[in-house]
Amino acid sequence: MISFDLPRTVDEINPRQWETFAPYFEELEKRPLSPDNLRQWLTDWSDLTRLLFEAASLIYIEKSQDTTDKEREQAFLDLINDVYPQAQVAIQTLKERLLAVDPASDALADMTMVLRNMQNEASLFRQENIPLFTEAAKLENEYDKVTGALKADWNGEEKNLSQLGLFLNDSDRSVREKAWQTIAGLWLSQRETLNDIYGKLLTLRQQIAHNADLPDYRAYAFREKGRFDYTPEDCLTFHEAIETAVVPAVNRILERKKKRLGYDALRPWDWVPEKGSMVDDSGGDPLRPYQGQEALIQHTLNIFNKLDPQLSRYFAIMAEDGLLDLDTRSGKALGGYCSSLPLRNRPFIFMNGVGSHDDVQTMLHEAGHAFHVFETADLPLVWQADPPMEFCEVASMSMELLSAPYLTSQYGGFYTSPQAARARIEHLEGIIAFLPYMAVVDAFQHWVYTHPQQAADAHQCDAMWENLLDRFLPGIDWTGHEDSKKTGWHRKLHIFTTPFYYIEYGMAQVGALQVWRNSLKDPVKALSDYRQALSLGGTRTLPELFASAGAEFRFDTEMLTELVSLIEETTAELEKQTLS
Ligand SMILES: [Zn+2]
């Protein structure tokens, strides 16, 4: 037998060329399989996948840390042009080999969900789609580049979108307005370019679906995302439940804000749904919880220490091993993410922190994802540690809510008690306000991908987006900024780069709110259920994972009404604490 001596770290290989990985895949393709060596074969394949995924993760991380570095961009392009396409073919061959094995084999006893996913992926695979994926990845990268390069002069200093975004939280309305107008101007300056990128993506995605013998890209995306436990119709039902149970609650929040602030109307710079920032009506100064990465790490560590010593150990490992890149810098890609490095079983967190409360929230959120990586580290095969996305976000969103009681400096957190109460109100109201926006983003894509002819015309996309805003977010007065209203879909990265990936956030929020509800009654049990559910990785169905975390996988009006009431009761309590 050929030896299967994999490199132990990515440092030992050149991850930018397929030849690095090819001999190992070839060996796995050729190795004779028997019931006796099936498990070893799977383990070897899993280890090779860890090496490949870790290499890819590192290339992606390095590119996002400096989008102006040509060498890093080239590494990424090599990966998507050379390594990925050939890896996909090789992986497909291995999947077909595995799926030909008797599924009752002992070696596969813990692989039910993995086999279900692989069966699905293998049946969706089409050789002719591979160049189309490459083409789409380039266009998605183009969106990142165009938006990452957007910069404007702000009082004599050049600022990127993340840096300008900080001023959307300013307590001075004229500063918010100026920041919003600056940002809106930058986006509109790229209107044609972004329409063009999206148009090309739509054509490609439709072709990908047709090649896979599916009627449209929605049908394809549901299969590709492994959405076995809900249908497009369930999503539409969720939208309706949001319209019934959540939109009125958002309107109550907006009315209170208008009254307290003495505004006739809330303008787009008072509520920026794609950023989740809503004008603060508490009368206090804007929260500036920390300065610089070290302070963010220390306070976060303190909070986790109060919540659960094991979680705090996980976070400390990340800090010690350089797995946190948290401050914004010129040239960094936008946004924040948690990536996994499956070879060393560690997560990596990337952010664009500027010292705002949003950054604290992002930190807690991404840490929840990171804990998921740590909790699944003992699962033997790489695919078992890959949970469904809807549940990944339960891990992160629950962590935001479970950490909330420890935000005060009394626990080593960021705030005085009244500030923490304000921050928590803002968070809870942000959750309510997010759901209708989520429905807009999801409903928009349901329409786009089931109406490809109409959606090929960017003006019709604009019109649909405007309709959905009127349905779900009627509380913003856009007078004078109609173009920015219609083109709001440009400002949502997911619509371009991860199509249909958004309802996961809504579903997960409903799950996370239930975890939080449970924690109000029994915090110890809620946290232990949470960690237990995380440790299951991808070895259970979505309803089972939710159940393990103490939540129901349900998105109807009754469920949303219950959770909205709980939030409204809690914020009323917290209001009293803001006065103390
Ligand atoms: Zn997340």
Side-chain angles (χ1 to χ4, degrees):
M1 194 177 103
I2 308 156
S3 82
F4 202 80
D5 252 341
L6 278 175
R8 285 167 181 276
T9 70
V10 174
D11 299 338
E12 297 168 38
I13 60 169
N14 174 1
R16 294 166 57 168
Q17 54 178 26
W18 171 240
E19 288 69 31
T20 303
F21 304 99
Y24 301 106
F25 277 102
E26 279 160 22
E27 196 280 331
L28 290 168
E29 272 172 37
K30 290 188 190 123
R31 194 188 301 176
L33 281 184
S34 70
D36 291 340
N37 73 355
L38 180 57
R39 190 67 186 194
Q40 187 58 50
W41 180 79
L42 274 170
T43 302
D44 289 345
W45 176 14
S46 170
D47 290 347
L48 175 57
T49 305
R50 289 180 193 278
L51 180 72
L52 175 63
F53 283 8
E54 177 144 334
S57 273
L58 288 171
I59 286 174
Y60 182 80
I61 290 166
E62 282 163 14
K63 176 184 82 99
S64 59
Q65 287 178 315
D66 186 356
T67 56
T68 66
D69 186 321
K70 294 275 169 249
E71 190 55 29
R72 293 180 183 201
E73 187 184 11
Q74 191 54 50
F76 176 73
L77 293 174
D78 289 347
L79 187 73
I80 61 172
N81 289 327
D82 183 40
V83 180
Y84 276 177
Q86 302 191 74
Q88 280 168 28
V89 177
I91 290 168
Q92 174 70 10
T93 308
L94 298 185
K95 280 180 190 163
E96 285 169 3
R97 277 200 93 187
L98 175 61
L99 293 168
V101 169
D102 176 8
S105 164
D106 285 347
L108 304 180
D110 60 351
M111 296 259 302
T112 313
M113 298 304 296
V114 175
L115 289 175
R116 183 186 77 170
N117 294 340
M118 282 194 184
Q119 176 71 51
N120 176 54
E121 290 156 14
S123 69
L124 214 52
F125 178 85
R126 298 292 184 279
Q127 180 84 39
E128 63 267 33
N129 273 340
I130 289 176
L132 304 188
F133 292 141
T134 309
E135 200 53 41
K138 282 186 205 159
L139 287 163
E140 290 156 14
N141 186 44
E142 202 51 38
Y143 178 87
D144 280 344
K145 270 173 66 182
V146 169
T147 58
L150 290 177
K151 288 189 190 97
D153 177 84
W154 182 266
N155 299 337
E157 268 184 75
E158 193 179 67
K159 298 215 180 277
N160 66 19
L161 284 176
S162 299
Q163 292 164 327
L164 289 166
L166 181 60
F167 299 102
L168 294 173
N169 296 318
D170 203 284
S171 55
D172 183 338
R173 198 182 198 193
S174 67
V175 172
R176 286 201 306 277
E177 177 172 357
K178 186 181 159 202
W180 186 87
Q181 302 242 29
T182 307
I183 292 168
L186 288 173
W187 282 103
L188 285 175
S189 75
Q190 299 300 319
R191 186 172 181 175
E192 295 312 317
T193 309
L194 295 172
N195 282 342
D196 187 49
I197 292 174
Y198 197 58
K200 287 177 180 157
L201 281 168
L202 290 189
T203 309
L204 277 172
R205 288 170 183 163
Q206 207 186 334
Q207 189 60 46
I208 287 168
H210 286 169
N211 288 349
D213 304 307
L214 289 164
D216 54 48
Y217 187 75
R218 179 174 76 172
Y220 180 87
F222 268 66
R223 285 279 304 279
E224 188 250 338
K225 301 202 172 319
R227 293 179 175 180
F228 302 108
D229 300 307
Y230 60 97
T231 62
E233 287 66 39
D234 292 330
C235 298
L236 303 182
T237 305
F238 190 14
H239 303 165
E240 281 162 22
I242 289 170
E243 194 176 9
T244 309
V246 184
V247 172
V250 175
N251 289 339
R252 287 194 283 277
I253 296 170
L254 299 182
E255 283 308 315
R256 186 200 70 216
K257 285 183 186 279
K258 275 201 295 195
K259 204 167 138 207
R260 276 199 193 161
L261 295 164
Y263 294 172
D264 294 334
L266 282 176
R267 306 303 315 271
W269 42 91
D270 298 322
W271 179 19
V272 190
E274 68 267 22
K275 284 201 46 85
S277 60
M278 253 184 171
V279 59
D280 177 24
D281 59 337
S282 70
D285 290 329
L287 297 173
R288 290 279 180 270
Y290 73 95
Q291 273 193 319
Q293 163 151 337
E294 288 314 312
L296 178 58
I297 291 173
Q298 189 53 56
H299 290 302
T300 306
L301 202 52
N302 297 343
I303 289 172
F304 291 144
N305 204 23
K306 290 290 173 233
L307 187 62
D308 181 315
Q310 184 58 46
L311 297 183
S312 117
R313 276 194 286 279
Y314 293 152
F315 192 71
I317 290 172
M318 296 189 73
E320 283 157 19
D321 292 358
L323 298 169
L324 301 168
D325 181 359
L326 310 178
D327 287 337
T328 194
R329 287 188 303 277
S330 174
K332 247 175 123 166
L334 299 184
Y337 61 78
C338 175
S339 182
S340 102
L341 302 169
L343 191 61
R344 64 188 93 164
N345 268 323
R346 291 281 185 267
F348 182 92
I349 294 178
F350 173 94
M351 279 176 51
N352 274 284
V354 289
S356 70
H357 175 63
D358 280 355
D359 299 325
V360 171
Q361 218 57 54
T362 305
M363 177 81 269
L364 299 170
H365 177 98
E366 301 305 339
H369 287 307
F371 297 152
H372 218 162
V373 175
F374 280 103
E375 293 289 353
T376 53
D378 289 337
L379 290 167
L381 301 168
V382 69
W383 312 283
Q384 294 170 326
D386 190 18
M389 296 309 290
E390 296 84 350
F391 196 71
C392 290
E393 295 300 331
V394 175
S396 53
M397 290 171 165
S398 298
M399 193 38 61
E400 295 181 54
L401 289 159
L402 294 172
S403 308
Y406 308 107
L407 282 171
T408 58
S409 50
Q410 173 194 359
Y411 300 108
F414 296 88
Y415 300 116
T416 64
S417 198
Q419 283 175 333
R422 267 179 65 195
R424 292 185 63 189
I425 292 169
E426 189 183 320
H427 179 216
L428 291 168
E429 294 190 341
I431 291 174
I432 295 188
F434 170 73
L435 288 169
Y437 178 69
M438 183 286 294
V440 171
V441 173
D442 193 54
F444 177 75
Q445 298 189 88
H446 278 263
W447 175 81
V448 162
Y449 293 108
T450 53
H451 297 77
Q453 266 89 32
Q454 286 101 312
D457 174 5
H459 292 293
Q460 295 206 43
C461 290
D462 291 350
M464 178 49 65
W465 185 265
E466 187 173 23
N467 268 333
L468 290 166
L469 283 186
D470 292 339
R471 178 179 164 200
F472 288 103
L473 282 80
I476 304 175
D477 175 4
W478 291 85
T479 309
H481 299 285
E482 288 74 13
D483 280 344
S484 289
K485 179 184 185 186
K486 286 182 218 168
T487 53
W489 55 280
H490 284 173
R491 302 193 291 274
K492 186 49 34 194
L493 160 133
H494 300 69
I495 291 176
F496 283 76
T497 65
T498 49
F500 271 110
Y501 177 54
Y502 213 61
I503 195 150
E504 286 86 347
Y505 292 112
M507 292 180 160
Q509 199 61 269
V510 173
L513 288 171
Q514 294 176 74
V515 171
W516 169 64
R517 176 200 61 199
N518 301 345
S519 80
L520 298 176
K521 293 179 196 131
D522 188 344
V524 174
K525 182 171 188 316
L527 192 70
S528 114
D529 287 350
Y530 165 85
R531 286 189 52 195
Q532 167 62 20
L534 261 56
S535 74
L536 295 171
T539 62
R540 301 286 191 284
T541 66
L542 261 182
E544 287 166 347
L545 290 170
F546 268 61
S548 174
E552 287 177 82
F553 192 70
R554 243 180 61 201
F555 308 96
D556 50 54
T557 304
E558 196 191 342
M559 171 65 81
L560 294 190
T561 304
E562 181 203 329
L563 296 172
V564 165
S565 302
L566 180 63
I567 289 179
E568 289 189 326
E569 285 159 25
T570 308
T571 52
E573 273 308 305
L574 289 167
E575 280 289 348
K576 294 178 201 157
Q577 293 175 27
T578 62
L579 306 171
S580 62

